[in-house]
Amino acid sequence: MIKSRLVEIIVDLLRSPIGPALVLLGGALVQLIAGRWMRRPAWLTGLALFFVAASGMLWLGLRFQEVVPVYSRPWQPLLQNGANLLWIGDGWNWYISGLILVLGGAGILLELNNRRQLAVAQNRDRIHTNLAIHLSVLAGALLFVGSGNLLTAILTWVIMDLFILVRSAARMDLAQGLDARTQLQQSQAKGLSLLGALLLLIALLPAGPTGPGQAFQDGVLPLETVALMLAAAAIRAGLYPFHLWLLPTDRDHVNLSERLLDHMVPVLSGLWLMGWTMGLGAEVIL
């Protein structure tokens, strides 16, 4: 009886809007474990792509459910009013999630070719770690663009940022031929993303006690909150003059994998937030 109930809970989670992200997080864990014994880059990349494909199947299944897929859980922080963590797997959220999976899978596949061309044999022990980080970033991005209210967007932004910073640090360690000044400049540029998270946190103040739980679909937020959300979206989308974090690690060679994984996925997340912000009244500010 307990096992059947546990199976039902797992199935419900996988069929919910957070199901694709959970599969990717599970894939990251499998990569870390399997990478201790599996050393071939092609096999590890194939394993990562398998979890991306499995996540894509769950994402596609959201479209064929009879009702709008919604996942909600209460959140009760200390000394504040509670609100619900809300994810919705339909409409704008669903389309952007699909683009993130396609671009993320293509980036992982292209990185295999980059490893062969750059002959990174001495970093073979880190391949599974890098792939695990890639899957974690994709999972964080899916959780972010599936958010249904301001509270969920803030928490998932922070989670995605942590994974992005870890991946950026790993890429900087592998980069060759960059001077210390360039590395410092690019590391500082990555902090723009954390600035966006700070703006979203500040946006909670004018939103009031009920602001964090306001749904993006039909919610009403103060103009100050919408303005801060618009600024955070502009940073994440890399709009001028917040485009510094889009600088490549190697200015002499174009790395398509880096462009897709490090740049296009976060930019899509920023465009997703900007789309919802415009629906909340940002056109008045512009």
Side-chain angles (χ1 to χ4, degrees):
M1 188 66 179
I2 297 178
K3 290 184 178 180
S4 61
R5 178 56 181 166
L6 180 60
V7 171
E8 290 180 2
I9 294 175
I10 294 176
V11 171
D12 289 341
L13 284 175
L14 292 179
R15 296 183 71 249
S16 71
I18 67 172
L22 293 179
V23 169
L24 292 176
L25 290 175
L29 181 60
V30 171
Q31 280 284 343
L32 291 176
I33 297 175
R36 296 177 179 271
W37 300 278
M38 190 185 301
R39 298 298 184 185
R40 294 188 178 183
W43 289 7
L44 290 170
T45 302
L47 182 61
L49 291 176
F50 167 78
F51 283 99
V52 174
S55 178
M57 294 298 293
L58 292 177
W59 164 81
L60 191 61
L62 295 174
R63 196 65 174 174
F64 297 98
Q65 295 188 17
E66 297 180 356
V67 297
V68 175
V70 175
Y71 183 80
S72 179
R73 282 294 179 269
W75 171 272
Q76 181 60 61
L78 295 175
L79 306 178
Q80 292 184 5
N81 294 330
N84 285 336
L85 294 174
L86 178 65
W87 286 272
I88 300 175
D90 190 50
W92 184 240
N93 297 11
W94 187 82
Y95 287 111
I96 298 297
S97 297
L99 286 175
I100 287 175
L101 284 173
V102 171
L103 294 177
I108 291 175
L109 182 61
L110 289 173
E111 190 174 21
L112 175 64
N113 295 328
N114 289 333
R115 289 198 199 99
R116 290 174 176 172
Q117 293 171 5
L118 297 177
V120 197
Q122 47 188 283
N123 299 310
R124 190 176 297 273
D125 293 340
R126 302 184 55 179
I127 291 177
H128 68 285
T129 303
N130 293 332
L131 289 172
I133 296 175
H134 294 334
L135 293 176
S136 300
V137 172
L138 291 180
L142 290 184
L143 290 174
F144 178 67
V145 301
S147 303
N149 57 23
L150 182 58
L151 175 65
T152 311
I154 292 175
L155 293 179
T156 52
W157 180 304
V158 173
I159 294 173
M160 181 171 58
D161 261 353
L162 291 176
F163 289 131
I164 288 176
L165 291 177
V166 171
R167 183 169 64 186
S168 299
R171 283 195 182 278
M172 293 299 293
D173 291 341
L174 294 176
Q176 303 292 332
L178 296 180
D179 54 30
R181 181 177 181 180
T182 303
Q183 293 186 12
L184 178 61
Q185 178 183 0
Q186 292 177 354
S187 298
Q188 292 174 345
K190 304 297 183 181
L192 281 174
S193 184
L194 294 178
L195 176 60
L198 180 61
L199 292 176
L200 286 181
L201 288 173
I202 298 175
L204 289 174
L205 299 178
T210 61
Q214 290 287 334
F216 289 149
Q217 182 67 38
D218 53 1
V220 178
L221 291 172
L223 192 60
E224 297 82 0
T225 297
V226 175
L228 290 170
M229 290 176 59
L230 183 62
I235 292 175
R236 175 62 79 194
L239 299 183
Y240 183 84
F242 305 113
H243 62 289
L244 294 179
W245 66 274
L246 292 174
L247 294 175
T249 55
D250 189 352
R251 300 181 182 180
D252 297 329
H253 302 87
V254 176
N255 189 332
L256 293 179
S257 173
E258 179 188 19
R259 288 296 190 183
L260 292 176
L261 292 170
D262 291 0
H263 298 159
M264 287 301 298
V265 170
V267 164
L268 276 175
S269 302
L271 293 176
W272 169 87
L273 182 60
M274 183 168 294
W276 281 120
T277 305
M278 296 298 292
L280 291 170
E283 67 276 2
V284 177
I285 302 174
L286 300 177

